[in-house]
Amino acid sequence: MTNKHSKILLRFAGIFGLIGALLGAHMAGAGSYAFRPIHAHSLVVGWLTLFAWAVYYKVFQTTETVLTKIHVWSAIIGSVGLTVGMWLYMVKPFNLPEGLTLTFYIGGGVALLISFIAFFLITLFYREP
């Protein structure tokens, strides 16, 4: 079952890596650094962190538990929520109410924080098979 976790995290890491690279290319071509925080968080939170967790699940072969499910889905929801929320809040592409964009941004950050706590707990309770 852990290969399922590894595979889904790896796929999302790939998506974030592509988005981060495209944002970097756009910024270089346009000469504007407006997307710099979104670019950085896409690569660090989305690509690097999700990839590291995918490797963890592949290497350590943990069993599927409620905690691992919470970890994987809060990581994905948090990575998407934080980066999209940051884009909506900072770039303001749709002129949405600030309270809505800030809630989306903070909600993504909270979900990501939950995933980091869950991962820490998983590493504490990991037992060799």
Side-chain angles (χ1 to χ4, degrees), residues 47-74:
W47 178 66
L48 183 62
T49 304
L50 295 181
F51 181 81
W53 286 336
V55 170
Y56 173 83
Y57 283 112
K58 187 72 170 175
V59 170
F60 288 94
Q61 298 293 311
T62 60
T63 58
E64 184 171 335
T65 64
V66 171
L67 188 57
T68 60
K69 288 180 185 178
I70 289 170
H71 171 246
V72 169
W73 288 107
S74 64

Side-chain angles (χ1 to χ4, degrees), residues 16-64:
F16 274 101
L18 179 61
I19 290 168
L22 289 172
L23 284 174
H26 169 73
M27 288 188 306
S32 169
Y33 296 100
F35 290 106
R36 187 173 47 200
I38 297 100
H39 163 73
H41 281 79
S42 292
L43 291 176
V44 173
V45 172
W47 178 66
L48 183 62
T49 304
L50 295 181
F51 181 81
W53 286 336
V55 170
Y56 173 83
Y57 283 112
K58 187 72 170 175
V59 170
F60 288 94
Q61 298 293 311
T62 60
T63 58
E64 184 171 335

